[in-house]
Amino acid sequence: MEHTAHITSYRSYGIILVILLFLTAITITVTWFDAGSLSVGVAMFIACIKVSLVLLYFMHLKFDELIFKILAAVVIMLLAVVFIITFFDYLFR
């Protein structure tokens, strides 16, 4: 198994940082409006996008081997299942 080094430019990190800050601003803006349970869904969706960006670029998953990408995807899907079960439990109480 050969491991090759990758170099991500500071410009790419800066762009990702700006995107993360923009998504954070959108998340804060969503909390100002009373959209009921929809605001939680939108906030969770934006959080998923932010997590994906952090995993891909800051944790270098984008440049890793396929097995690590698959393992990360499985963990995220398990976490999504736990969230869905929790939301259903909350809705039907």
Side-chain angles (χ1 to χ4, degrees):
M1 183 179 310
E2 184 176 321
H3 184 73
T4 58
H6 60 273
I7 298 173
T8 303
S9 67
Y10 288 118
R11 184 172 188 265
S12 297
Y13 285 137
I15 290 171
I16 298 300
L17 177 65
V18 169
I19 292 171
L20 289 173
L21 291 173
F22 178 71
L23 290 172
T24 301
I26 290 175
T27 303
I28 293 170
T29 305
V30 166
T31 62
W32 293 344
F33 301 105
D34 186 24
S37 62
L38 183 63
S39 60
V40 173
V42 171
M44 292 295 289
F45 179 72
I46 293 171
C48 289
I49 293 172
K50 290 168 60 178
V51 165
S52 299
L53 288 173
V54 169
L55 283 173
L56 288 174
Y57 289 97
F58 291 113
M59 297 183 74
H60 304 274
L61 194 59
K62 180 179 178 184
F63 306 104
D64 241 332
E65 296 177 19
L66 182 62
I67 186 70
F68 296 118
K69 294 176 184 176
I70 291 172
L71 289 174
V74 168
V75 169
I76 290 171
M77 288 189 326
L78 285 174
L79 185 63
V81 168
V82 169
F83 281 160
I84 289 170
I85 290 171
T86 303
F87 280 122
F88 277 123
D89 182 45
Y90 179 75
L91 286 175
F92 295 114
R93 281 190 177 199

